[in-house]
């Protein structure tokens, strides 16, 4: 046997109106109240009061029946795009059916969005890998050839030209170092070769070498293994947080930590910079949120004016594939 489904909304309102009218008709039949063919003022007053009572009762009952629907609409307005929550399945009849249908739709949309983000981020990482490879193989090798040529040219050049050639050679060497640094940022090869902790340590060292801020890092031992996708998300969030600390926060000291809290691995980047009062959803923060949602992680960015900013990423271990 199949249980009957909830009544459509129009039938629910019809049932309420019908019940009110039936009760009013029974009152007219069973009570001594009567209306003559030539109604007097008292009878008109009784009819007016009765009609007002019927309308008020109908309005209260309809409002009571649709109250869960109005609460459902308010909850829909509060749903965040990147972290949709389940709606409360309350009420009965059509309202309960709407809540269940919307929850199923939200779950399906969330999975489709997560799959789409995964494909987009995978394509982005692949493009980063290709660009880094081209920078290393083509631009890097070309600059290396230039360096070797300048060094040979210095050996045979007149003494008056040696300082200028040396300056050009140093400029080319600095350009080669910049190309290698950009390639490392585009494709963290150490992440694939040595793991997440070593990649974060190298990232912190590179940040300290090219910034006026000092970096303190602390990594808890024995951390559980994450999926490759989750490791890339943790690395990219740390990279974006350090970049923001250098560009916007004017921080003098940054603390990078990776530890475990319960069934989650927690990344935290804390700086002592200028902080913020109202956080604007820029492309960097939106990118971090999208990456966090990809692996079902929780991202929080907390800052206070003149008291620094803290970026915390909590990655669940049990959901890592």
């Amino acid at each position: 046997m199949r249980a009957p489904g909830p009544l459509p909304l129009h039938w629910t309102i019809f049932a309420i109106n019908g019940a009110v009218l039936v009760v009013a008709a029974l009152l007219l039949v069973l009570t001594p109240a009567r209306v003559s063919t030539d109604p007097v003022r008292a009878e008109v007053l009784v009819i007016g009061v009765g009609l007002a009572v019927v309308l008020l009762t109908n309005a209260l009952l309809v409002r009571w029946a649709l109250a869960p629907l109005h609460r459902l609409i308010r909850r829909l307005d509060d749903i965040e795009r990147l972290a949709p929550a389940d709606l409360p399945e309350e009420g009965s009849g059509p309202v309960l059916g709407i809540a269940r249908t919307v929850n199923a739709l939200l779950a399906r949309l969330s999975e489709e969005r997560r799959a789409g983000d995964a494909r987009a981020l995978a394509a982005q990482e692949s493009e980063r890998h290709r660009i880094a490879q081209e920078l290393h193989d083509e631009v890097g090798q070309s600059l290396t050839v230039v360096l070797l040529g300048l060094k040979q040219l210095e050996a045979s050049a007149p003494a008056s030209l040696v300082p200028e050639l040396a300056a050009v050679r140093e400029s080319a060497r600095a350009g080669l170092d910049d190309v290698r640094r950009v390639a490392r940022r585009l494709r963290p090869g150490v992440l694939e070769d040595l793991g997440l902790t070593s990649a974060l340590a190298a990232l912190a060292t590179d940040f300290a070498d090219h910034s006026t801020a000092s970096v303190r890092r602390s990594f808890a031992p024995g951390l559980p293994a994450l999926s490759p996708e989750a490791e890339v998300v943790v690395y990219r969030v740390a990279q974006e947080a350090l970049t923001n600390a250098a560009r916007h926060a004017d921080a003098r000291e940054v603390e990078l930590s990776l530890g475990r809290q319960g069934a989650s691995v927690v990344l935290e980047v804390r700086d002592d910079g200028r902080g913020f009062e109202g956080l604007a959803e820029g492309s960097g923060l939106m990118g971090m949120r999208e990456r966090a949602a990809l692996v079902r992680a929780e991202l929080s960015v907390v800052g206070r004016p003149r008291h620094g900013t803290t970026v915390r990423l909590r990655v669940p271990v049990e959901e890592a594939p």
Side-chain angles (χ1 to χ4, degrees), residues 52-243:
V53 171
V54 169
L55 292 177
L56 180 61
T57 304
N58 183 74
L60 292 176
L61 290 176
V62 171
R63 181 179 180 182
W64 168 79
L66 298 182
L69 181 60
H70 292 304
R71 289 195 294 269
L72 185 66
I73 293 174
R74 287 196 297 269
R75 290 294 301 271
L76 283 172
D77 293 336
D78 296 336
I79 289 178
E80 296 184 4
R81 186 182 69 87
L82 292 177
D86 290 337
L87 297 174
E89 296 182 359
E90 58 182 358
S92 61
V95 177
L96 181 61
I98 291 174
R100 290 174 176 173
T101 303
V102 171
N103 280 335
L105 177 63
L106 288 175
R108 186 167 64 251
L109 289 177
S110 179
E111 289 300 323
E112 291 178 356
R113 179 189 55 77
R114 185 174 289 111
D117 288 346
R119 290 191 295 269
L121 291 176
Q124 186 182 76
E125 291 296 331
S126 176
E127 186 66 13
R128 286 172 178 261
H129 183 279
R130 184 188 65 81
I131 295 175
Q133 195 71 30
E134 291 182 359
L135 286 174
H136 181 273
D137 294 344
E138 298 181 11
V139 181
Q141 290 182 4
S142 299
L143 288 175
T144 302
V145 172
V146 171
L147 283 174
L148 294 176
L150 288 172
K151 188 174 182 179
Q152 293 178 357
L153 188 59
E154 282 183 49
S156 59
S160 59
L161 295 179
V162 170
E164 296 181 4
L165 291 174
V168 174
R169 181 165 55 85
E170 287 303 319
S171 297
R173 186 184 301 278
L176 180 59
D177 292 339
D178 290 339
V179 168
R180 289 173 176 172
R181 186 177 72 255
V182 171
R184 285 196 304 269
R185 290 177 63 86
L186 287 173
R187 177 179 176 264
V190 67
L191 180 61
E192 301 175 359
D193 299 334
L194 300 179
L196 179 60
T197 303
S198 299
L200 292 177
L203 181 64
T205 302
D206 184 70
F207 172 81
D209 292 341
H210 298 88
S211 174
T212 58
S214 61
V215 181
R216 291 188 304 166
R217 58 180 185 239
S218 60
F219 305 132
L223 292 174
L226 297 175
S227 66
E229 294 81 5
E231 289 187 347
V232 172
V233 168
V234 172
Y235 181 86
R236 293 301 185 194
V237 169
Q239 188 179 52
E240 182 65 29
L242 290 175
T243 301

Side-chain angles (χ1 to χ4, degrees), residues 249 269-276 279 301-304 307-311:
V269 181
R270 186 193 306 268
D271 66 67
D272 61 351
R274 66 179 64 181
F276 58 87
L279 183 61
V301 181
V302 180
R304 293 183 299 167
H307 288 84
T309 304
T310 300
V311 177

